[in-house]
């Protein structure tokens, strides 16, 4: 399963076979009007972007291992809160995009 959204949480690559180590999802529409794009390389989530079409907060279980940086489409840091079970909550205005790469993916030039 590439994406799942229920109970108010978007889950990125929640049930992907190990053999599918490299995947790309682009503008996959999730519950709550959040198009999702994400990249998985070497079996790890490397990059996630969500856009809010309705101007609502988004809870996402991103699957990125380690520290994360949440930024808008211009690279500015966005405020976010820790939610339960490895998820974060991001407040996005209508049409605003946010999230980003795992910090090491950006440093390695893979985004």
């Amino acid at each position: 399963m590439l994406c799942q959204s229920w109970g108010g949480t978007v889950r990125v690559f929640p049930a992907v076979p190990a053999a599918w180590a490299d995947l790309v999802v682009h503008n996959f529409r999730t519950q709550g009007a959040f198009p999702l794009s994400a990249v998985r390389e070497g079996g790890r989530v490397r990059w996630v972007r969500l856009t809010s079409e309705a101007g609502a907060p988004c809870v996402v279980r991103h699957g990125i291992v380690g520290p994360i940086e949440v930024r808008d489409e211009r690279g500015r840091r966005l405020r976010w809160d820790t939610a339960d079970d490895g998820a974060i909550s991001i407040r996005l205005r209508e049409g605003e995009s946010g999230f980003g790469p795992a910090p090491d993916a950006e440093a390695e030039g893979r985004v």
Side-chain angles (χ1 to χ4, degrees):
M1 184 176 305
L2 301 180
C3 179
Q4 187 180 56
S5 59
W6 57 270
T9 300
V10 175
R11 293 157 182 86
V12 181
F13 304 127
V16 175
W20 297 4
D22 299 322
L23 295 168
V24 175
V25 172
H26 183 66
N27 286 335
F28 185 92
R29 183 174 302 280
T30 68
Q31 184 179 34
F34 295 103
L36 163 77
S37 295
V39 173
R40 174 180 158 105
E41 291 178 335
R44 297 178 63 183
V45 180
R46 307 305 295 169
W47 181 84
V48 176
R49 183 185 67 223
L50 288 159
T51 302
S52 177
E53 292 183 336
C58 179
V59 176
V60 60
R61 188 172 304 148
H62 50 79
I64 293 174
V65 176
I68 59 168
E69 293 184 9
V70 179
R71 297 182 180 268
D72 69 8
E73 59 274 4
R74 294 185 181 129
R76 297 176 297 199
R77 290 181 188 248
L78 292 175
R79 291 181 50 160
W80 56 276
D81 296 307
T82 301
D84 62 354
D85 222 10
I88 64 169
S89 176
I90 310 168
R91 294 184 186 272
L92 296 171
R93 294 184 301 270
E94 184 176 347
E96 186 176 37
S97 294
F99 215 106
D104 62 333
E106 187 173 34
E108 293 169 11
R110 291 183 289 160
V111 294

